[in-house]
Amino acid sequence: MAEDKFTAIIVGAGPAGSTAAYLLAEQGIDVLLIERGETPGCKNMFGGRMYSYALHRIIPEFWEEAPLERQISREVITMLDGEKSTSISCQDENWAKPPYHSFTLLRAEFDAWLAAKAEDAGAILACGIRVDDVIMEDNRIIGIRAGDDEILADVVIAADGANSIITEKAGLRSKLSPADLATGVKEVIELPAKTIEERFNLQPDTGAAHLYAGTCTQGMSGGGFLYTNKSSISLGLVIKAAELQKNQYMLVDLIEDFKNQPSIAPLISGGEVVEYSAHLVPEAGISMAPRLFSDGILVTGDAAGFCINLGYLVRGMDLAIASGEAAAMSVVEAVKKNDFSAASLGIYTDLLVKNGVWSVMEAYRRAPQMLDTERLYTSYPTLLNNLLADMFTIDGSPPINLIDKLRQEVKNSKTSFINLAGDAWKGGRSL
Amino acid sequence: MKKMNMQQLLACDKFEVDDEEHHIVLNKEVCRSCQAKPCIYACPAGLYTLKDGEINFDDAGCLECGTCRLICPQEGALSWHYPRGNFGVVYRYG
Ligand SMILES: Cc1cc2nc3c(=O)[nH]c(=O)nc-3n(C[C@H](O)[C@H](O)[C@H](O)COP(=O)(O)OP(=O)(O)OC[C@H]3O[C@@H](n4cnc5c(N)ncnc54)[C@H](O)[C@@H]3O)c2cc1C
Ligand code: SF4
Ligand code: SF4
């Protein structure tokens, strides 16, 4: 290694970048991991839960050492409509046994831990450095520029997240479209662990994941989330950016109203807000993916659009880790051949197919269009809540049978059976 | 829980303020020709405000989410960068 040249430079110490750095360092490859925050994680936020399988493959039984909050054993989805709400709750104790299905976590601690693992394995971690540009020579990427500094490498891995400047600078995609991403806002609300366990009916280590659709987004495409940490609640909203373009509500009012929904307020009552954060979420799936590789560069994690938001399920951490793994393995192969051209790095797509990332993205190819259906955020929550609330309301008037009630509710909500059937069919195929 | 306002929420966060360099700079000339001004509602930190019909902006309190960069419809209105290394928001939870 020349003084100022690395085999690999990784931009961004999120889960994608740190995983790639860890695996490369483990293979004895010299790698520089650059992060703009003063510590890895201090610029990052997410909803709250990571599915375990991907990291378990790389660091077996990572839960023995990683800073985690609670293992999720209950999933709840709720349709909100003002004063009314309808929930489905699913509990599986197997989720709370090794190999734990998923964990809530907080990024400041978790990302710092994962980056430290990479450092321990031999990667050089440089924090507090913002990468401004890539260096190109004869159409190939040969390094990065940060302020006045230039650092060279055989290959650069862009792991700089949803709002990836590096992918743009490298010419791998044009400007992002507001139709392809959402903005997430979140509050961390501190409560004693015991209070959380009582309110959510949890064991000392188990946790709950709640996802919400309906009035919390004022009809905009998006939803709410609530995750239980050890002694705090992560609560927030994710709303499609294109909707925010025509929005007439301040996000701060939406999240504050969300907190005061009758089905949520008692869960967080008495808690203290200790942080407010915001971040973009890639939502368009495969259709927004940039070119994933070119001469001297690979794109991974959110920067590549490897994130799935289905409303009842959000996955980005596992896909970031798995795509970071594929990127690292591609570089290992390129090092063997001493060839960092696009042709050589193209093995990346094969490895993404092999380790499952690509099939996840393919499987949900149609989901973004499906989730654009406005009815999901307006008429359907109202319809469902009215139907069920009526069913449970006894006021002495003559009962109407369920089918008639459904007919009536569909008529009242500005939708039709044809829409309903069409959306159900689309939903079944795309989710 | 009592409704919190933007100032109260941002006061929960830690920021390393950069006194020398702004990371987001507006070209107010371009903003003047922007009809919808979606940044006012879309910025989760509420940093874009309207004052006498003109957009007022200060990047102190920016959460670095990139939403304004994404949704601004006017070419050349925003010179958008992340803050210099070490500066800006510091999430202690995330
Ligand atoms: C509101 C919200 C809720 C979510 N909920 C979930 C969830 O519950 N479960 C789940 O699995 N996923 C969730 N996600 C998605 C998940 O957070 C991402 O998919 C994941 O963080 C992507 O990892 P990454 O490493 O690709 O990018 P990031 O985690 O964004 O990391 C990128 C890193 O690069 C650094 N960086 C960026 N630019 C530069 C630069 N120019 N120079 C140097 N460093 C730079 C950043 O500081 C950061 O550390 C959610 C996301 C959001 C926003
Ligand atoms: S959306 Fe862009 S152009 Fe319009 S007012 Fe805001 S910053 Fe200016
Ligand atoms: S980056 Fe996000 S928080 Fe900062 S000004 Fe733009 S929209 Fe507001």
Side-chain angles (χ1 to χ4, degrees), chain A residues 255-279:
Chain A
I255 192 172
E256 287 299 307
D257 287 344
F258 178 49
K259 279 162 68 182
N260 283 311
Q261 291 270 347
S263 58
I264 291 174
L267 298 175
I268 55 170
S269 150
E272 188 197 348
V273 178
V274 290
E275 190 167 87
Y276 175 63
S277 55
H279 204 281

Side-chain angles (χ1 to χ4, degrees), chain B residues 26 31 34 37-39 48 55 72-74 77-78:
Chain B
L26 240 63
C31 291
C34 173
K37 300 195 179 9
C39 53
Y48 294 81
I55 283 285
C72 173
Q74 286 319 83
L78 288 176

Side-chain angles (χ1 to χ4, degrees), chain B residues 15-64:
Chain B
F15 292 95
E16 288 298 336
V17 181
D18 188 345
D19 294 323
E20 287 166 27
E21 214 175 287
H22 285 291
H23 67 282
I24 303 176
V25 182
L26 240 63
N27 182 339
K28 291 204 177 172
E29 207 52 56
V30 180
C31 291
R32 227 165 271 145
S33 66
C34 173
Q35 287 298 315
K37 300 195 179 9
C39 53
I40 299 174
Y41 292 102
C43 169
L47 300 181
Y48 294 81
T49 52
L50 211 51
K51 206 171 162 190
D52 306 323
E54 207 171 74
I55 283 285
N56 214 38
F57 175 79
D58 186 346
D59 61 11
C62 173
L63 301 171
E64 302 163 30

Side-chain angles (χ1 to χ4, degrees), chain A residues 16 19 23 39 45 61 115 133 140 156 180 280 295-296 308-310 322 332 349-350 362 389 408:
Chain A
T19 300
L23 289 170
T39 52
M45 67 81 96
E61 298 182 12
D133 206 346
R140 57 179 300 135
V156 171
D180 291 346
L280 291 178
D295 292 314
I308 299 286
N309 182 7
L310 302 180
V332 170
T349 43
D350 303 333
E362 275 286 356
Q408 196 182 321

Side-chain angles (χ1 to χ4, degrees), chain A residues 338-376:
Chain A
N338 195 26
D339 178 0
F340 300 91
S341 67
S344 166
L345 293 173
I347 192 176
Y348 183 40
T349 43
D350 303 333
L351 291 170
L352 286 171
V353 169
K354 219 161 131 189
N355 82 357
V357 172
W358 201 253
S359 54
V360 172
M361 299 309 295
E362 275 286 356
Y364 295 123
R365 180 184 276 280
R366 292 199 194 92
Q369 287 113 289
M370 162 68 200
L371 293 169
D372 253 354
T373 312
E374 193 200 328
R375 290 183 286 274
L376 286 179

Side-chain angles (χ1 to χ4, degrees), chain A residues 3 38 68 72 79 85 109 126 135 158 161 163 167 170 201 233 248 305 323 328 339 371 401:
Chain A
E3 266 290 281
E38 64 180 334
L68 302 165
I72 298 293
M79 288 282 215
S85 65
E109 261 189 312
I135 309 172
N163 183 25
T167 327
N201 196 9
I233 304 278
Q248 295 299 313
S323 61
D339 178 0
L371 293 169
N401 72 45

